[in-house]
């Protein structure tokens, strides 16, 4: 058989036995002869590829290893590096990925990857090249003394293959052997890892400071995005942010008192002068996690662009993402608990303790919320609650199967609906990498039905490729134009309802103590901040009117629409567009959003 | 316009700075009247052009005080200019919307096609508030290039701009053109041009493709309501495009039940207004009227002047890349080393008879031809730009060649003729050419001729294609060709030069002048063009843009097409050829790129860079003619005098299948009366014949080949949807059965209490089988369930059919849609709102087919009705692999059923209105117990099934799936063992399950089948560990993997079921010497992307023959498939020869080992005899065994010489039938 050639089993091995001493050893002789002959005839076996792996956390010795971190917002990357430094690791956070990172990612990555892969992989290669070229460190030293720490996942989209891609790119860029260490996104706080105290130990003591850093980073970003559009002195927020990051980073590094640091930060932000009556459209950024989170060229610096174009940006927090993963774990467990027999597989419950899993998820959810709220209160992010994942799931149920996963799964659809029915924002911008499988391949398709059901929604999905920013900006400006008008109208309506002019409202805000403070958050009733602060000012000036409006808002039930709404309207001969925008008929509000039951 | 030079009242200026032109309007703010307007091409000098406009406006309105002027700018290039003149920037769609609302309040929708983008605006009136709501949509990146695409295609078809205005739209003569992407469209257009289709028909086809694409994608599934306003350059200046809209839009109204005023002529309903190009500029002013008076106050032109002189460099300096030329001496050295020697035609003596061969390369945009004498010297060269017909091009070139020889008083004696390139087939047919070789092989031969057999890499860049050949021992070892996405790079350089008004010969001169360059990232020509617009907007000059574009070319070659980042591993001797190398800027960029990465590289440029293909054809002709001693060529004069007719009409259309291909017949006739007919433009082999009888003969021939060389991909595709297992009746009520129950307590309750206190106990209960009522059974027997034959249904169809049939649904009640076809796609592709991969997108056409062809609503006798359309979200698949991280489906594949639900219910609920229920539950096939419940939740209530019945049907369905796998693997085993025995090669198709669909794989496997290669599918590889052991023994022994069905040594992170299986199949192929690989991948496939590198490593380490067809989409790029098939066939032939060598050497080895063994055994026997005085019978037995083996070798060798190899006989489908019955009785 020809295939015997592949795996060199000497033909001479037939009937092998040891010869008595002194006699000719036929087998040995034949084996020698055959090997010689094979060589002469050029009949070697085929070589086979084997992927070399470099991911043992035990090899990352604290004493001489520097951990590189990157991938979230700049504030979070910095604070995480501080947090890890605080527990004895040497850490460097990389810069936000830029065009050069994209180019390197494309050069060394596979064709057809999504651009978060190109950006993040390229960013690491870029940093390593920089170490080698400008700091004069040899390649071997880079490989020996640095590791990259990142999140891993089990798919189902390309995200799960990042580590494969890192390996390929590093190998092709000449850094074979460079270690990329993974912690699993859905792996919980205790993960299989090194138990060697000198190495990288991914246990609770390792994750706890990271979680704190992530949540504090979220809150910091939240505050800055709230204040920046309304700052009176341009650049004041960025200056405050810079100072704050430094203070918190220092506190993390020293493993010192975070509470004191947070109070300092609160004072710094509190000192920024703001004018919240500027009617700025509030734009909610949703979409694919990385594309909406990064602050570099990966999304055309879309947050900055929006702010420059006069919008207030409502960003998604990393905490939401963590909560979503907790929800997934809980839902998958609960979904399978009632089976007569457990399945194998990644999500199957065979050999697992579902009750323990449920308790852990419950505790996880509560712990994140508690921690986040504590930080929010301490730092001054008032009037904000993390989203209810059950509400999100319930809102999306009829549009997006809960078992279809990948990316933000049903969350994008749900967030868009909630943004409309609760008047959370004036415009929803869904940012996703070009060809993102779950986001542009599935969510956007479903969103087209949502925009049909909620024609009043100003919704814009954009795909980011890293290049061709001009088209994207142009599209955003196109929608922002509408959002701007909507925000203006909201403010005018409120002012009209209280019979106030804008100047009167502004004077009132200046006079009432605390109302002009940077950290105050007027109760949410309208999408835009200006309308909310005007509502607050108006109700101070006309308390009775204010109460009436609050009462009406409180009793207003937001309308959730399904395809059948379309059908019933079609039967009645009413055009589908003939529905009142939620923003128009929502005259009053309560701070807390109402839980929604799906019809 | 005659401006009022005495005017002193304020004016408002609207400027629209687009990607190619600047438009300006001057408006009276009081009356809103346009006082002045003009437009001009800016030739990338946008700020200068704006400055010029402002100066002209100032001259036209000398009396208007500058401080009373307000300026509003719009367009893709406007943003950086605005602050320099105090203008306010207005986004162009908003500007257009303002203008339309003002000028045409009754318009329902607007379609604006620009140079780079397409925009759709839809107006809706809110019935309650009376407000007008505006919905706007712009194309995504891939669909861009509308105007630019038309421009480029105009160059390709060679139609003068002036003729466009007179062209009429003719719906009867349309050909397939992909419009989703400008590059895809160009590829199709090149093929049409080469097939001799008239330019008018090609342009009409392009128009139709653009219109259809916009109607299906840009509208995001919404209906364009009347009246429809057409704006933008192409819509304004191309009447045939307008006519196409007027045809297609009402069709969509009809289809979607939109009512419109039929009494009005369509020209009124869908119209182009006067002055449409000024709408954006005018709209910008209208926008300005809503802004406070302080906004947009003109600050004079000084700022802009300053910006032009100083601003640009300062802004760009940091972001810009290096120049193409660092210093003068660098350039001098380069020019010195890479100056392509000027070709001097041979000088002939009067009376001389020039004996030689002609090689002709009919390329995509130009044709080349060389005359080579018997010693291999190139005497003369000819070049012509394609004039749309390859025969005419050939005639012109040969005539010119002959004239040139005769002009010197010599005569030409052509002893042979060889052709290559797109036109080779037609020339072979009509001129009886001696040689017809594929371009790649021709290029290889030419390079080897000039640079010797130690060339490592040949890189050929033509107008359309990039071909990179990796060489070993003077022949092609492996190759990479540009695919649909990476095509058209050479053309892009030319088109860009054209756009900037620079003759292509001066490209390099201009690019070398640039002091810096914009950093393009690699990508398709459309993306590069979009980037170019962006850079232009940022202020780069044309010289810099040309330099940047030249510098991205090597990235496109090495990073995008070749994908081998470690270039040094390819070798050190590089040859660059192809027409694009004439452009020294492109050449320098490539040389620099290669030398930077392979410092010791020797980079040569072919001395006849444009004619390399023709020279290769000539050299091969010389060899063939010398060897054969004669030529088949009709002769020079006959060739020059050949008469031809090219016909493409209803008569030439192929009617042998539903595709109804529009074919072209080229009939030729030489002066001595020999005729031949060449047919092109067909998409399958049926198109190659003209009569039914001929078709029968052809099919008989094909069937014979098919039988000899089975195509298991095709076989699997058919078998998967048939009944595999005769349904086993449901057990009688009360039959003892084990039921599994779970007792839960509080776990369903939310909150901590439920979690803490909840108990859960799973038990087995023995009880009687529960049957549903007779009524329910009857209902089931009548049920009809439509299932789209799409995505992972291709994996799970045997399971689903068996599940329904066992549950009691009649076999005919399980209705799968048909295989994907172009016709189906064209008919049912108008619901989409997203643009993912084709396999996902095409699902809508399958659902459309079920709704409109498998359902006529009444359900009466003879009537067809569907109760359900079942398109499950398959989240996980069963997998034969062990130890992977998960077995998940691709998220697009899993989620598409939900996208389809949205698409078919958003405006009109197509299911509800037809009384059908759409079911898209999640199915998790890697968790069988969960799966039972998922199916029960859906079909328990709907089909009236009891849980026991459901579970029984699921169990049976698994058995059916296992039988299907067994059957297909049996076939696979037979094929593999046959090819092993005969030292033949089988081709293994790597792909995802749906690539078995002939509409998705473009039946490319058939091309190899007829060449004599049996085709294996991944599913047909036996997964039996015992059988696989011999391939993986060493890996397991080395501890690389735990068992033969693991992947941990190559891809530890594998979690995607189909990707992992693909990688495993590649791994298997790498271990089997008789298997070659053809890798299929769809355009935009996200799950394939990460496997490219892995598969490449596996395949190239083992040296397995490999070819890929990536980026497959709706269109069939026949030209590119042809080159691939032919080149791959060449490689396979070489591989087969090597295999035969190895086999004979291996036999020789066995023979010699046994010879040696006997020698040793005899020696030992002698030793034994000496010691014990007698012979050892065991040793004697061994000697006889070895002698027997040697005799067997000899006998086999003789037998092999007698019987021809390569006939593979498989048992037919009867095997399946036997199984089915066995299943039924089991």
């Amino acid at each position: 058989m020809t295939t015997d050639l592949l795996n060199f089993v000497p033909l001479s091995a037939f009937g092998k036995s040891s010869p008595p001493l002194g006699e000719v050893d036929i087998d040995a002789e034949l084996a020698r002869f055959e090997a010689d002959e094979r060589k002469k005839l050029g009949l070697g076996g085929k070589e086979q590829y084997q992927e070399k792996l470099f991911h043992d956390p035990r090899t990352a010795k604290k004493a001489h290893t520097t951990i590189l971190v990157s991938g979230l917002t700049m504030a979070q990357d910095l604070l995480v590096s501080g947090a890890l430094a605080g527990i004895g690791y040497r850490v460097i956070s990389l810069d936000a990925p830029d065009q050069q990172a994209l180019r390197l990612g494309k050069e060394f990555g596979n064709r057809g990857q999504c651009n978060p892969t190109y950006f993040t992989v390229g960013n690491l290669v870029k940093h390593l090249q920089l170490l080698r070229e400008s700091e004069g460190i040899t390649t071997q030293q880079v490989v020996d003394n640095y590791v990259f720490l990142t999140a891993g996942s089990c798919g189902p989209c390309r995200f799960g293959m990042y580590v494969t891609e890192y390996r390929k790119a590093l190998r092709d860029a000449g850094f074979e052997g460079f270690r990329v260490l993974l912690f699993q996104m859905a792996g919980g706080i205790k993960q299989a890892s090194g138990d060697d105290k000198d190495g990288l130990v991914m246990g609770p003591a390792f994750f706890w400071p990271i979680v704190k850093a992530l949540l504090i980073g979220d809150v910091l970003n939240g505050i800055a995005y709230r204040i920046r559009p309304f700052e009176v002195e341009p650049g004041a927020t960025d200056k405050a942010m810079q100072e704050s990051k430094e203070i918190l980073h220092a506190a993390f590094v020293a493993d010192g008192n975070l509470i004191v640091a947070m109070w300092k930060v609160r004072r710094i932000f509190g000192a920024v002068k703001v004018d919240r009556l500027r009617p700025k459209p509030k734009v909610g950024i949703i979409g694919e996690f990385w594309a909406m989170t990064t602050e570099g060229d990966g999304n055309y610096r879309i947050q900055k662009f929006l702010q420059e174009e006069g919008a207030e940006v409502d960003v998604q927090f990393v905490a939401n993402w963590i909560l979503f993963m907790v929800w997934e774990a809980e839902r998958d467990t609960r979904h399978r608990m009632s089976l007569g027999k457990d399945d194998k597989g990644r999500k199957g419950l065979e050999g697992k303790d579902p009750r323990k899993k449920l308790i852990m998820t419950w505790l996880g959810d509560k712990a994140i919320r508690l921690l986040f709220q504590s930080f929010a209160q301490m730092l001054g992010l008032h009037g904000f609650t993390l989203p209810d994942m059950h509400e999100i799931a319930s809102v999306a149920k009829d549009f997006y199967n809960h078992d279809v996963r990948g990316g933000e799964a049903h969350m994008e659809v749900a967030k868009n609906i909630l943004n409309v029915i609760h008047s959370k924002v004036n415009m929803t911008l869904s940012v996703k990498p070009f060809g993102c499988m779950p986001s542009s391949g599935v969510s956007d398709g479903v969103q087209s039905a949502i925009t049909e059901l909620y024609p009043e929604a100003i919704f814009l999905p954009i795909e980011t490729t890293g290049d061709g920013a001009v088209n994207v900006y142009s599209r955003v400006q196109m929608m922002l134009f509408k959002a701007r008008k909507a925000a203006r109208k909201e403010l005018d309506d409120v002012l009209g309802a209280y019979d106030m002019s804008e100047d009167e409202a502004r004077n009132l805000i200046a006079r009432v103590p605390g109302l002009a403070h940077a950290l105050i958050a007027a109760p949410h009733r309208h999408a835009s901040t200006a309308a909310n602060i005007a509502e607050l000012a108006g109700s101070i000036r006309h308390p009775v009117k204010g109460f009436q409006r609050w009462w009406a808002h409180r009793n207003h039930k937001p309308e959730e629409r399904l395809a059948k709404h379309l059908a019933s309207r079609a039967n009645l001969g009413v055009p589908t567009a003939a529905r009142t925008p939620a923003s128009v008929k929502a005259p009053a509000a309560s701070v807390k959003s109402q839980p929604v039951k799906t019809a | 316009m005659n401006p009022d030079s005495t005017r002193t009242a304020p004016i408002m200026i609207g400027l629209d700075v687009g990607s190619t032109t600047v438009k300006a309007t001057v408006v009276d703010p009081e009356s809103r009247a346009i006082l002045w307007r003009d437009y001009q091409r800016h030739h990338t000098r946008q700020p200068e052009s704006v400055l010029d406009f402002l100066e002209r406006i100032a001259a036209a309105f000398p009396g208007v005080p500058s401080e009373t002027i307000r300026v509003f700018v719009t367009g893709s290039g406007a943003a950086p200019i605005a602050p320099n003149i105090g203008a306010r920037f207005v986004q162009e769609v908003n500007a257009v919307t303002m203008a339309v609302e003002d000028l045409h309040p009754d318009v329902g929708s607007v379609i604006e096609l620009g140079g780079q983008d397409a925009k759709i605006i839809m107006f809706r009136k809110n019935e309650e508030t009376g407000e007008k709501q505006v919905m706007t949509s712009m194309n995504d990146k891939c669909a861009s290039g509308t105007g630019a695409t038309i421009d480029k295609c105009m160059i390709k078809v060679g139609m003068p701009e002036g003729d466009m205005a007179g062209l009429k739209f003719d719906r009867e003569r349309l050909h397939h053109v992909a419009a989703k992407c400008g590059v895809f469209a160009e590829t199709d257009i090149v093929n049409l041009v080469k097939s001799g289709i008239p330019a008018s028909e090609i342009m009409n086809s392009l128009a139709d493709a653009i219109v259809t694409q916009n109607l299906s994608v840009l509208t995001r599934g919404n209906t364009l309501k009347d009246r429809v306003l057409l704006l933008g350059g192409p819509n304004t200046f191309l009447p045939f495009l307008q006519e196409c809209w007027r045809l297609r839009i009402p069709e969509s109204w009809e289809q979607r039940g939109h009512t419109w005023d039929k009494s009005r002529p369509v020209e009124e309903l869908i119209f182009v207004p006067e002055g449409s190009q000024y709408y954006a500029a005018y709209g910008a002013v209208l926008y300005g009227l809503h802004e406070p008076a302080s906004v947009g106050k003109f600050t004079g032109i000084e700022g802009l002047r300053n910006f032009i002189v100083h601003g640009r460099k300062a802004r760009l300096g940091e972001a810009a890349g290096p120049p193409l030329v660092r210093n003068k001496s660098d350039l001098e050295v380069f020019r010195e080393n890479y100056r392509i020697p000027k070709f001097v035609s041979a000088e002939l003596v009067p009376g001389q008879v020039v004996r030689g061969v002609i090689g002709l390369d009919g390329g995509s945009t130009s044709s080349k031809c060389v005359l080579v004498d018997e010693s291999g010297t190139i005497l003369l060269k000819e070049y012509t730009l394609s004039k749309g017909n390859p025969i005419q091009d050939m005639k012109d070139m040969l005539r010119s060649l002959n004239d040139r020889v005769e002009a010197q008083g010599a005569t030409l004696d052509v002893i042979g003729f060889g052709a290559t390139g797109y036109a080779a087939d037609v020339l072979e047919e009509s001129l009886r050419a001696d040689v017809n070789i594929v371009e790649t092989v021709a290029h290889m031969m030419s390079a080897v001729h000039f640079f010797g057999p130690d060339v490592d890499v040949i890189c050929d860049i033509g107008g359309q294609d990039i071909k990179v050949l990796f060489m070993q021992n003077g022949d092609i070892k492996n190759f990479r060709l540009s695919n649909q996405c990476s095509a058209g790079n050479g053309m892009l350089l030319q088109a860009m030069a054209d756009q900037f008004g620079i003759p292509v010969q001066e490209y390099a001169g201009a690019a070398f002048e640039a002091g810096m360059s914009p950093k393009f990232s690699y990508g398709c020509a459309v993306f590069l063009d979009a980037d170019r617009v962006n850079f232009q907007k940022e202020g780069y000059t044309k010289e810099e843009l040309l330099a940047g574009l030249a510098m991205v070319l090597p990235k496109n070659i090495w990073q995008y097409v070749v994908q081998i980042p470690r270039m040094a591993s390819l070798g050190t001797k590089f040859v660059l050829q192809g027409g694009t190398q004439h452009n020294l800027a492109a050449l320098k960029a490539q040389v620099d790129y290669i030398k930077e990465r392979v410092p010791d590289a020797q980079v040569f440029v072919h001395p006849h860079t444009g004619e390399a293909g023709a020279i290769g054809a000539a050299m091969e002709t010389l060899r063939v003619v010398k060897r054969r001693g004669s030529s088949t060529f009709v002769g020079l004069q006959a060739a020059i005098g050949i008469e031809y007719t090219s016909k493409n009409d209803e008569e030439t259309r192929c009617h042998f299948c539903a595709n109804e291909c529009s074919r072209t017949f080229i009939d030729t006739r030489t002066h001595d009366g020999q005729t031949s007919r060449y047919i092109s433009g067909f998409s399958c082999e049926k198109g190659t014949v003209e009569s039914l009888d001929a078709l029968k003969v052809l099919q008989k021939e094909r069937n014979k080949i098919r039988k000899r060389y089975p195509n298991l991909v095709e076989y699997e595709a058919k078998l998967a949807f048939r009944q595999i297992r005769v349904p086993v009746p449901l057990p009688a009520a009360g039959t003892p059965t084990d039921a599994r129950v779970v007792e839960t307590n509080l776990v369903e309750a939310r909150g901590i209490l439920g979690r803490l206190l909840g108990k859960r106990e799973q038990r087995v209960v023995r009880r009687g089988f529960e049957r549903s009522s007779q009524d329910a059974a009857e209902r089931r027997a009548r049920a009809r369930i439509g299932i789209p034959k799409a995505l992972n249904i291709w994996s799970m169809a045997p399971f689903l059919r068996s599940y329904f049939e066992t549950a009691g649904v009649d076999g005919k009640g399980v209705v799968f849609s048909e295989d994907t076809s172009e016709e189906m796609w064209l008919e049912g592709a108008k619901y989409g709102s997203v643009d993912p991969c084709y396999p996902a997108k095409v699902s809508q056409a399958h659902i459309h087919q079920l709704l409109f062809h498998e359902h006529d609503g009444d359900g009466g006798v003879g009537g067809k009705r569907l109760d359900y359309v079942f398109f499950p979200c398959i989240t996980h698949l069963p997998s034969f692999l062990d130890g992977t991280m998960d077995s998940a489906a691709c998220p697009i594949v899993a989620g598409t059923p939900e996208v389809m639900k949205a698409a078919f219910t958003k405006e009109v609920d197509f299911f509800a209105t037809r009384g059908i229920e759409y079911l898209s539950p999640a199915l998790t096939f890697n968790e069988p117990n969960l799966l039972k419940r998922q199916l029960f939740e859906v079909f328990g209530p709907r089909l009236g099934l009891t849980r026991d019945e459901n579970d029984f049907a699921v169990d049976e369905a698994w058995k059916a799936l296992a039988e299907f796998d067994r059957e297909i693997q049996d076939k696979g085993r037979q094929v593999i063992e046959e090819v092993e025995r005969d030292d033949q090669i089988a081709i293994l198709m790597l792909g995802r399950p749906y690539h078995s669909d002939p509409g998705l794989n473009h039946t490319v496997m058939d091309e190899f089948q007829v060449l004599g290669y049996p085709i294996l599918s991944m599913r047909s590889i036996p997964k039996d560990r015992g059988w696989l052991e011999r391939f993986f023994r060493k890996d397991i022994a080395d501890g690389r993997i735990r068992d033969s069905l693991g992947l941990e040594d190559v891809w530890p992170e594998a979690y995607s079921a189909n990707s992992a299986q693909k990688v495993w199949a590649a791994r298997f192929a790498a271990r089997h010497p008789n298997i070659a690989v053809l890798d299929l991948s769809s355009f935009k496939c996200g799950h394939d992307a990460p496997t490219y590198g892995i598969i490449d490593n596996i395949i190239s380490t083992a040296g397995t023959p490999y070819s890929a067809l990536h980026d497959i989409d709706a269109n069939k790029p026949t030209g590119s498939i042809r080159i691939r098939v032919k080149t791959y066939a060449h490689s396979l032939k070489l591989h087969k020869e090597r295999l035969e060598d190895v086999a004979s050497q291996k036999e020789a080895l066995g023979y010699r080992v046994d010879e040696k063994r006997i020698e040793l055994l005899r020696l030992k026997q002698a030793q034994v005899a000496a010691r014990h005085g007698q012979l050892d019978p065991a040793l004697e037995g061994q000697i006889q065994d070895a002698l027997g083996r040697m005799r067997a070798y000899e006998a086999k060798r003789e037998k092999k010489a007698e019987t021809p190899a390569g006939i593979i006989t498989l048992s037919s489908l009867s095997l399946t039938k036997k199984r089915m019955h066995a299943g039924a009785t089991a």
Side-chain angles (χ1 to χ4, degrees), chain A residues 3 6-7 37 49 110-111 156-157 161 335-338 342-343 401 467 474 481-482 566 580, chain B residues 91 128 134 141 287 563 758 760 898 906 927 929 933 1030 1040 1049 1053 1055 1071 1087 1090 1093 1152:
Chain A
T3 44
L6 301 173
N7 308 311
E37 285 294 301
Y49 179 72
N110 275 301
R111 187 170 51 82
C157 78
M161 303 180 198
H335 191 54
R336 287 163 173 77
M337 279 179 76
S338 49
D342 291 331
D343 286 304
N401 199 309
D467 39 26
S474 168
F481 170 69
K482 289 202 242 174
L566 275 177
T580 321
Chain B
Q91 203 277 339
E128 283 177 30
V134 185
K141 260 189 121 172
Y287 177 96
Q563 285 257 313
R760 175 168 176 265
E898 294 293 64
K906 54 185 276 190
E927 294 181 53
N929 297 302
R933 192 180 68 194
R1030 60 195 171 113
R1040 285 171 62 164
D1049 59 333
E1053 297 84 18
Y1055 58 80
R1071 280 159 177 77
H1087 264 199
R1152 290 174 66 177

Side-chain angles (χ1 to χ4, degrees), chain B residues 997-1050:
Chain B
D997 184 342
L1000 296 188
N1001 64 31
H1002 294 316
T1003 59
V1004 60
M1005 312 311 297
D1006 291 12
E1007 313 278 339
F1008 290 101
Q1009 196 188 5
V1010 294
L1011 291 175
Y1013 297 102
I1015 312 295
L1016 294 166
S1017 68
M1018 285 164 40
R1019 219 164 173 169
S1020 73
I1021 305 170
K1023 312 298 181 317
D1024 166 11
R1025 286 184 167 83
W1027 189 84
L1028 290 170
E1029 201 251 339
R1030 60 195 171 113
F1031 305 105
F1032 293 95
R1033 189 164 45 207
K1034 194 161 176 286
D1035 298 307
I1036 296 170
D1038 292 352
R1040 285 171 62 164
I1041 46 170
R1042 278 177 291 111
D1043 87 72
S1044 47
L1045 297 175
L1047 272 187
E1048 57 266 39
D1049 59 333
V1050 287

Side-chain angles (χ1 to χ4, degrees), chain B residues 271-458:
Chain B
F271 67 107
V272 183
E274 192 277 324
S276 67
Q277 62 270 43
Y278 296 106
Y279 272 45
Y282 181 60
V285 172
L286 294 180
Y287 177 96
L289 287 170
H290 292 271
E291 294 283 303
S294 58
V295 174
K297 272 189 122 63
F298 182 50
T299 53
I301 52 177
E302 275 320 301
L304 186 59
R305 279 218 177 99
N306 203 27
F307 172 74
I308 292 167
V309 181
H310 306 293
R312 204 180 63 84
K313 271 250 153 59
R315 266 189 328 118
L316 299 177
E318 276 197 8
L324 198 48
V325 178
R326 287 181 198 281
N327 51 54
K328 269 226 157 92
S329 63
D330 174 34
L331 181 61
E332 285 313 310
V333 172
F334 171 75
R335 279 195 203 271
E336 194 51 44
N337 289 341
Y338 286 93
R339 177 166 294 129
I340 299 174
K342 197 169 162 41
F343 174 71
V344 184
S345 302
E347 282 193 18
L348 308 173
V349 228
Q352 185 185 347
V353 177
V354 183
R355 271 172 67 82
V357 296
I358 291 176
L360 189 148
D361 178 5
S364 64
T365 41
S366 61
S367 290
K368 290 86 65 175
C369 155
V370 290
L371 175 67
V372 175
D373 73 7
E374 285 176 285
S375 67
T377 311
I378 297 157
L379 303 177
L380 294 171
K381 298 204 288 198
E382 279 294 330
Y383 169 91
T384 179
L385 271 177
S386 287
K387 285 180 283 297
N389 187 298
I391 303 229
Q392 190 58 47
D393 292 347
M394 175 276 297
K395 284 177 61 155
D396 292 351
M397 286 196 295
L398 294 198
R399 182 177 296 121
S400 163
L401 211 58
N402 193 43
D403 290 353
R404 284 167 63 191
V405 172
E406 286 180 354
Q408 299 190 54
T411 48
L412 189 52
D413 177 13
V414 177
I415 57 166
F417 179 87
T420 184
Y422 283 82
D425 289 344
V426 61
L427 295 178
E428 183 188 25
E429 179 73 35
S430 54
L431 303 184
R432 296 208 302 277
D434 295 297
V435 162
N436 167 8
I437 47 173
V438 64
E439 296 92 302
T440 44
V441 176
H443 287 138
M444 179 269 289
M445 287 175 162
S446 164
V448 169
H449 174 80
F450 284 100
F451 299 100
D454 61 336
V455 168
D456 292 310
V457 183
I458 300 167

